[in-house]
Every structure is written in structure tokens, then in C-alpha cells.
């Protein structure tokens, strides 16, 4: 008699299906890492004509995959925006675009927060090479610990949304309770439109959807910092004028 037939070994329970939003976010995170790694390797191999065609193929593949994940984001109910700034910063950009702020002499300091260690390594490399001082944290708790010690030290916090134990939205709220004027940009592979609107209304400076190329990341962070500077100068001038 077949004992296995009478006492069948129970099969392992099927793995829980990953929700579309989480899967889309993870795919965009992976594309972010692939894109950043490709750019780093390309810098190392710069000048080698034989390798260039393979980097071109890799960039094209990443761009095609990013278009697919963008469709998945929209299908899962996420924001279809690639880059979005707080309305106040967006309006300052339109008004002052022709006359940008004076060049910065002070080196800007960024706090980059992501639970994905590879993404942190790549972001730090890209942003450091762009001239920023970069401090990294791998969780919301570590971010708050660093920020609480020197709240005035950081010009901008680049914050991942999907993190264990304390997600980006909760971390953002706690950062604001420490320093209400903190400049926070969320960088994530997926965010529901309702959540994005809520965080923007709460004072978030901007949103960048992964994946983004290294040059895009640098350009968008510089844009946010420039517009924040313009907005604060404008507020200061308005306050002085109101005293007369």
C-alpha cells in the first residue's frame, strides 16, 4: 500500500501574489539600479568604441522597459507623472525661469534615504560627482536620527517611499515635525495619485518616479533647490516690503 497516498505530504502553500502596485514599484527600483550601474560602467569604459554599442543597447532596453512599467503604474492606479513639483515651486519656476539664481558657492548637503543598499551606493556616487555632499540612511529611523542631530545641515532630503517599518510618508511627516521648512523630494517607483496629492498638500517639495537616469536625477534636484531658493528670497522680499 502506498503510504504517501494515504498520508500525502502537504504541499508548500503557494506564495502570496505580489500586488500590482508593489510589483511595479520593485520593477522600477530594479531599472533604477540597472540604469545607474550602466552609467557608472560606461564612465569607466569611456573612449572604448567597441563597448559603446552595447551601452547603447542597454540604454535602449532600459528606456523600453521604463515605458512598460509606466503603463503598469497607470493601470495600478498610480500617478502617471514622471516628475512633479509642489505647485508653489512650479509657479516660481515659470516666473523666474529666464533669470536663474546666482551660482551657489556653498556646497549643498543632501540626505538620501532608501532601504535598497545598491540604490544608495549609486545615488551617492552620482550626486557626489555632481558636487553635492551626500549623507545616506537605509531606513526612516536612521534618517530621523541623522536629521534630528543636525536639522539645519541638510538642504534637501531625497526619500524613498516604500520602506519597511516606517515608510516614506510617515518619515516625511516626522521630518516636518522636526523642521517644518525641510525640503523633501520623494523618489519611488510607484505612488497612488491620492497619496501623492496628500503629501504635496502637506508640503512635499517634489516627486520623482523611478527609474531616472543619473543626469535626470541631478538636474531635478538642482531645479528643486534653485526654486526653493527663489521662493524663499521672494517671501523675504515680500515680508520686508510689507513693513513699509
Amino acid at each position: 500500500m502506498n503510504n504517501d497516498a494515504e498520508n500525502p505530504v502537504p504541499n508548500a502553500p503557494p506564495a502570496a501574489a505580489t500586488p500590482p502596485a508593489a510589483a511595479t514599484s520593485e520593477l522600477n527600483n530594479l531599472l533604477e539600479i540597472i540604469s545607474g550601474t550602466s552609467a557608472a560602467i560606461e564612465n569607466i569604459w569611456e573612449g572604448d568604441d567597441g563597448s559603446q554599442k552595447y551601452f547603447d543597447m542597454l540604454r535602449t532596453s532600459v528606456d523600453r522597459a521604463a515605458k512598460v512599467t509606466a503603463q503598469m503604474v497607470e493601470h495600478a492606479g498610480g500617478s502617471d507623472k514622471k516628475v512633479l513639483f509642489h505647485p508653489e515651486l512650479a509657479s516660481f519656476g515659470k516666473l523666474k525661469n529666464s533669470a536663474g539664481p546666482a551660482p551657489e558657492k556653498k556646497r549643498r548637503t543632501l540626505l538620501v534615504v532608501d532601504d535598497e543598499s545598491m540604490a544608495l551606493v549609486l545615488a551617492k556616487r552620482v550626486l557626489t560627482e555632481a558636487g553635492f555632499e551626500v549623507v545616506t540612511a537605509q531606513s526612516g529611523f536612521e534618517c530621523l536620527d541623522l536629521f534630528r542631530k543636525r536639522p539645519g545641515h541638510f538642504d534637501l532630503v531625497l526619500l524613498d517611499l516604500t520602506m519597511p517599518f516606517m515608510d516614506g510618508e510617515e518619515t516625511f511627516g516626522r521630518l516636518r515635525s522636526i523642521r517644518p521648512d525641510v525640503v523633501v523630494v520623494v523618489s519611488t517607483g510607484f505612488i497612488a495619485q491620492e497619496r501623492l496629492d496628500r503629501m504635496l498638500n502637506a508640503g512635499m517639495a517634489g516627486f520623482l518616479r523611478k527609474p531616472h537616469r543619473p543626469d535626470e536625477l541631478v538636474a531635478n534636484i538642482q531645479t528643486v533647490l534653485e526654486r526653493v531658493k527663489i521662493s524663499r528670497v521672494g517671501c523675504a522680499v515680500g515680508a520686508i516690503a510689507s513693513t513699509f
Side-chain angles (χ1 to χ4, degrees):
M1 182 177 291
N2 189 339
N3 291 331
D4 289 342
E6 290 185 353
N7 301 295
V9 178
N11 293 326
T18 303
T24 302
S25 179
E26 180 64 8
L27 281 172
N28 278 325
N29 286 339
L30 292 172
L31 286 173
E32 173 87 352
I33 292 168
I34 294 168
S35 178
T37 304
S38 170
I41 295 173
E42 188 173 6
N43 288 338
I44 296 170
W45 285 81
E46 188 174 7
D48 186 334
D49 295 335
S51 64
Q52 190 57 49
K53 65 178 181 180
Y54 296 105
F55 289 119
D56 290 341
M57 290 167 59
L58 183 56
R59 278 196 300 270
T60 299
S61 297
V62 169
D63 289 343
R64 287 175 60 188
K67 290 177 182 178
V68 174
T69 56
Q71 294 173 351
M72 293 173 64
V73 165
E74 189 172 357
H75 182 71
S79 171
D80 61 351
K81 305 296 184 185
K82 178 70 175 173
V83 177
L84 191 64
F85 299 134
H86 189 280
E88 183 178 318
L89 297 184
S91 65
F92 270 105
K94 292 174 183 177
L95 292 172
K96 303 289 184 178
N97 200 33
S98 59
E104 290 289 339
K105 295 181 180 179
K106 172 181 172 289
R107 193 180 188 196
R108 298 299 193 100
T109 302
L110 310 179
L111 177 55
V112 181
V113 190
D114 200 311
D115 65 317
E116 174 57 68
S117 58
M118 288 187 289
L120 275 185
V121 168
L122 291 167
K124 183 170 185 176
R125 177 186 175 121
V126 167
L127 295 170
T128 299
E129 289 179 351
F132 295 104
E133 178 184 341
V134 181
V135 179
T136 61
Q138 209 166 339
S139 69
F141 294 103
E142 186 181 2
C143 164
L144 292 170
D145 185 52
L146 291 167
F147 190 80
R148 195 175 285 112
K149 291 174 180 175
R150 296 190 294 173
H153 182 67
F154 300 104
D155 297 289
L156 182 145
V157 179
L158 182 65
L159 182 63
D160 186 26
L161 184 65
T162 307
M163 298 185 291
F165 306 114
M166 184 190 298
D167 67 10
E169 185 171 9
E170 183 179 353
T171 304
F172 165 64
R174 296 191 181 208
L175 288 169
R176 294 268 298 176
S177 69
I178 297 170
R179 193 183 114 198
D181 69 341
V182 61
V183 179
V184 176
V185 173
V186 162
S187 176
T188 185
F190 179 90
I191 186 170
Q193 185 64 50
E194 180 182 352
R195 195 177 200 187
L196 176 58
D197 293 340
R198 183 170 67 239
M199 294 181 73
L200 286 169
N201 289 335
M204 183 176 70
F207 157 69
L208 308 176
R209 194 182 75 223
K210 298 176 182 177
H212 27 58
R213 296 192 310 271
D215 58 326
E216 290 176 332
L217 176 63
V218 171
N220 284 316
I221 287 178
Q222 289 173 337
T223 297
V224 170
L225 289 170
E226 289 170 1
R227 293 186 182 187
V228 166
K229 180 181 177 182
I230 291 170
S231 70
R232 289 177 177 173
V233 169
C235 290
V237 170
I240 293 171
S242 66
T243 62
F244 291 96

